[in-house]
């Protein structure tokens, strides 16, 4: 699997510092001219390898000098292990980060030279992709992935062919699928709107909580008989409840989270796409019973998140203007914080997760090309208005993406046109991009870290099928 990384090295030859670079694709080795007559010109070659330098792999290198033969060659590395064979060396690469390989030579003519080579070693590639649902239907234009504390995978995905909603679990080897909702015979099932779903997971018990829109209505901006629906799995069976009796439009935005301060009660935030209806917050106070409160006259812009105290953080755009904020519930009217460069006209959704030490991370999905503040790192403080924000670019093109934080690392899954990429920062904070293959245009991936081994996994749509790797 190829990664968009740049590998550079600096050669120190007879005390003269020289700079050269190559990209991750293999190239014909080049002689680096020292512009210093009488010195030895060294050449480094990578043998039998291509693409990025991946942790744990073995790379073989050869050093040569123009017009010279070697009397002695000595290799060393600051990390990993080396096995030298004269002018050749086999280097087992260390963990991701910057690693150095050094060589010192003495020629038969009595000249000496030294070389220091710095490499950007990237994390091991994600495992090859698998199809989760191999049936004949088109599936997975939307999927939501999560892991419980035991490492079991939980996935909710859409069936585009028959307008249904499905659930799958992964035991580390095999996926098992079952239907949550969809059209049926005398069972209360009906069509599921395929682009408005949300999943959260009780990581201790593995209980999924899903919110979606269902009904006979046609997509449109006017009320079309779509109803907000909640589903959870109890005793091996799915329990489905209507959250709100009001008709909703197909542009309704939804998110769900569990309140840690109230026995992990499911809480749903939602809003219609049109102005004036505002963000509503629905709390499940008992099975089949939901208390709905108006939060503000705004549009929901992203994933909601609780902190440990039970405060709910809601990304939204106000009823006037196009800027975006994060608001706190419960809280006073001033408990809001404006995000940098995010507005409802150029951002489809803000994926949001907690990072370390009260850092709320929000990532723009569907932002304009060249967006300089796609990732928002909000350090939450008390009072909320004293919080601080650092915004960063992610990629020039931000078609659809998702983010997660686990194992002390940030991971982003991004659909870049029809290319799927896994993005994570290196030791210096620069992004590394791992290409995971093709993905369906118009779909949105989801990413989560398996807590038992710290491995990031992604669900996505490929060749019309919901897939995973």
């Amino acid at each position: 699997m190829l990664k968009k990384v740049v590998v550079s090295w600096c050669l120190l030859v007879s005390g003269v510092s020289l700079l050269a670079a190559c990209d991750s694709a293999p190239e014909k080795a080049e002689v680096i001219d020292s512009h210093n007559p009488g010195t030895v010109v060294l050449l480094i070659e990578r043998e039998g390898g291509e693409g990025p330098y991946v942790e744990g792999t073995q790379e073989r290198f050869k050093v040569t000098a123009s017009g010279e033969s070697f009397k002695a060659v000595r290799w060393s590395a600051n990390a990993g292990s080396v096995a030298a064979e004269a002018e050749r060396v086999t280097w087992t690469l260390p963990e991701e980060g910057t690693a150095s390989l050094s060589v010192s030579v003495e020629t038969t003519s009595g000249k000496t030279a030294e070389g220091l080579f710095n490499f950007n070693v990237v994390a091991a590639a994600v495992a090859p992709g698998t199809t989760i649902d191999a049936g004949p239907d088109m599936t997975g234009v939307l999927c939501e992935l999560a892991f419980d504390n035991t490492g079991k995978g939980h996935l909710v995905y859409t069936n585009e062919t028959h307008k249904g909603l499905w659930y799958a679990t992964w035991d580390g080897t095999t996926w098992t699928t079952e239907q949550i909702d969809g059209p049926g015979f005398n069972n209360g099932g009906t069509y599921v709107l395929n682009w408005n779903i949300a999943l959260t997971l009780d990581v201790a018990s593995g209980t999924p909580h899903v919110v979606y829109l269902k009904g006979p209505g046609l997509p449109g901006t006017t009320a079309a008989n779509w109803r907000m629906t909640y589903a959870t799995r109890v005793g091996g069976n799915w329990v489905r409840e209507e959250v709100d009796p009001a008709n909703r439009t197909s542009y309704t935005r939804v998110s769900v989270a569990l309140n840690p301060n109230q026995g992990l009660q499911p809480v749903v935030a939602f809003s219609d796409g049109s102005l004036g209806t505002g963000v509503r917050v629905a709390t499940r106070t008992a099975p089949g019973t939901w208390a709905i409160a108006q939060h503000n006259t705004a549009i929901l812009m992203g994933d909601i998140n609780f902190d440990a105290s039970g405060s709910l953080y809601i990304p939204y755009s106000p009823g006037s203007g196009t800027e975006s904020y994060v608001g706190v519930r419960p809280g006073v009217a001033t408990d809001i914080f404006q995000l940098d460069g995010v507005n409802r006209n150029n951002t489809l959704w803000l994926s949001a997760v907690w990072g370390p030490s009260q850092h709320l991370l929000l990532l723009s999905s569907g932002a304009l090309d060249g967006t300089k503040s796609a990732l928002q790192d909000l350090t939450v403080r008390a009072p909320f208005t004293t919080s601080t924000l650092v915004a960063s670019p992610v990629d020039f093109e931000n078609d659809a993406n998702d983010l997660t934080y686990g194992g002390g690392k940030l991971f982003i899954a991004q659909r870049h046109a029809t290319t799927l990429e896994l993005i994570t920062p290196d030791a210096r904070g620069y992004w590394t991009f791992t290409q995971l293959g093709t993905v369906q245009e118009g779909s949105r991936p989801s990413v989560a870290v398996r807590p038992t081994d710290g491995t990031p996994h992604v669900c996505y749509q490929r060749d019309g099928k919901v897939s995973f790797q």
Side-chain angles (χ1 to χ4, degrees):
M1 296 183 183
L2 299 179
K3 302 186 179 182
K4 296 195 306 191
V5 295
V6 175
V7 180
S8 62
W9 56 62
C10 179
L11 297 181
L12 303 178
V13 184
S14 297
V16 179
S17 178
L18 308 172
L19 182 63
C22 69
D23 60 23
S24 59
E27 295 182 353
K28 184 178 179 181
E30 298 179 359
V31 174
I32 302 172
D33 187 1
S34 69
H35 300 289
N36 187 5
T39 63
V40 176
V41 178
L42 291 184
L43 174 69
I44 188 77
E45 297 180 25
R46 183 186 189 185
E47 296 186 334
E50 62 180 18
Y53 293 88
V54 180
E55 62 182 8
T57 60
Q58 289 187 337
E59 294 284 351
R60 190 169 173 83
F61 298 92
K62 177 184 178 182
V63 64
T64 61
S66 178
E68 297 282 352
S69 58
F70 297 130
K71 178 181 179 181
V73 179
R74 290 174 294 277
W75 296 89
S76 63
N78 71 331
S81 61
V82 294
E85 303 171 22
E87 72 271 15
R88 287 181 170 85
V89 65
T90 300
W91 184 23
T92 302
L93 299 181
E95 294 182 354
E96 64 174 318
T98 301
S100 299
L101 179 67
S102 300
V103 61
S104 61
V105 302
E106 180 182 356
T107 70
T108 55
S109 63
K111 299 176 183 178
T112 61
E114 295 180 352
L116 173 67
F117 308 87
N118 293 321
F119 295 88
N120 180 23
V121 179
V122 296
V126 178
T130 58
T131 299
I132 296 171
D133 188 335
D137 292 351
M138 179 177 288
T139 56
V141 71
L142 275 184
C143 62
E144 292 284 332
L145 175 66
F147 288 95
D148 62 31
N149 287 341
T150 69
K152 183 178 181 178
H154 301 256
L155 180 75
V156 174
Y157 64 96
T158 54
N159 180 306
E160 281 68 55
T161 301
H162 294 111
K163 307 303 180 188
L165 187 63
W166 286 71
Y167 170 72
T169 56
W170 183 61
D171 61 7
T173 303
T174 304
W175 282 98
T176 302
T177 64
E178 60 188 71
Q179 190 168 8
I180 299 175
D181 207 341
F185 178 64
N186 292 340
N187 65 353
T190 186
Y191 301 115
V192 174
L193 195 59
N194 288 20
W195 53 85
N196 301 70
I197 63 172
L199 165 71
T200 193
L201 187 69
D202 178 349
V203 295
S205 68
T207 302
H209 301 265
V210 187
V211 179
Y212 56 101
L213 293 179
K214 60 179 287 186
L218 297 175
T221 56
T222 58
N225 299 324
W226 297 108
R227 295 293 178 85
M228 186 74 58
T229 308
Y230 163 83
T232 188
R233 204 167 185 271
V234 179
N237 298 310
W238 284 96
V239 175
R240 292 173 293 274
E241 301 173 3
E242 188 176 88
V243 176
D244 181 7
N247 290 338
R248 309 241 67 86
T249 75
S250 61
Y251 294 92
T252 298
R253 301 172 173 219
V254 300
S255 184
V256 60
L258 304 179
N259 190 339
N261 203 33
Q262 294 183 347
L264 298 180
Q265 284 179 325
V267 174
V268 177
F270 60 97
S271 72
D272 285 323
S274 57
L275 293 175
T277 56
V279 176
R280 292 176 173 87
V281 177
T283 301
R284 189 180 189 237
T285 56
T289 303
W290 293 82
I292 302 176
Q294 184 81 26
H295 177 63
N296 54 27
T297 56
I299 296 174
L300 184 67
M301 286 294 294
D303 298 329
I304 61 174
N305 284 270
F306 281 101
D307 65 15
S309 70
S311 295
L312 181 63
Y313 294 82
I314 304 175
Y316 71 94
S317 181
S320 60
T322 59
E323 64 277 2
S324 293
Y325 298 81
V326 173
V328 183
R329 175 188 167 88
V332 298
T334 56
D335 279 343
I336 61 174
F337 197 96
Q338 185 173 353
L339 300 177
D340 181 9
V342 180
N343 67 70
R344 64 172 178 266
N345 290 337
N346 62 23
T347 298
L348 297 180
W349 190 253
L350 287 164
S351 299
V353 297
W354 284 109
S357 305
Q358 287 297 99
H359 283 250
L360 184 61
L361 307 174
L362 304 102
L363 176 67
S364 297
S365 181
L368 293 176
D369 287 353
T371 299
K372 296 180 179 179
S373 51
L375 180 62
Q376 314 273 316
D377 182 358
L378 178 63
T379 303
V380 176
R381 305 184 188 280
F384 188 52
T385 52
T386 64
S387 300
T388 57
L389 179 71
V390 177
S392 303
V394 174
D395 202 354
F396 190 84
E397 186 174 347
N398 300 277
D399 292 330
N401 48 36
D402 186 34
L403 85 165
T404 189
Y405 189 91
K409 296 181 180 180
L410 169 66
F411 296 97
I412 296 172
Q414 175 171 269
R415 178 178 64 79
H416 192 129
T418 58
T419 297
L420 180 64
E421 298 174 321
L422 182 67
I423 306 173
T424 190
D426 64 15
R428 298 178 299 164
Y430 291 111
W431 298 116
T432 60
F433 301 81
T434 304
Q435 292 191 12
L436 303 182
T438 59
V439 67
Q440 211 88 4
E441 191 164 11
S443 64
R444 184 185 174 202
S446 177
V447 61
V449 174
R450 194 180 190 199
T452 50
D453 57 17
T455 301
H457 292 276
V458 183
C459 71
Y460 54 94
Q461 187 185 46
R462 176 177 293 167
D463 298 328
K465 306 295 182 185
V466 61
S467 303
F468 167 86
Q469 65 188 88

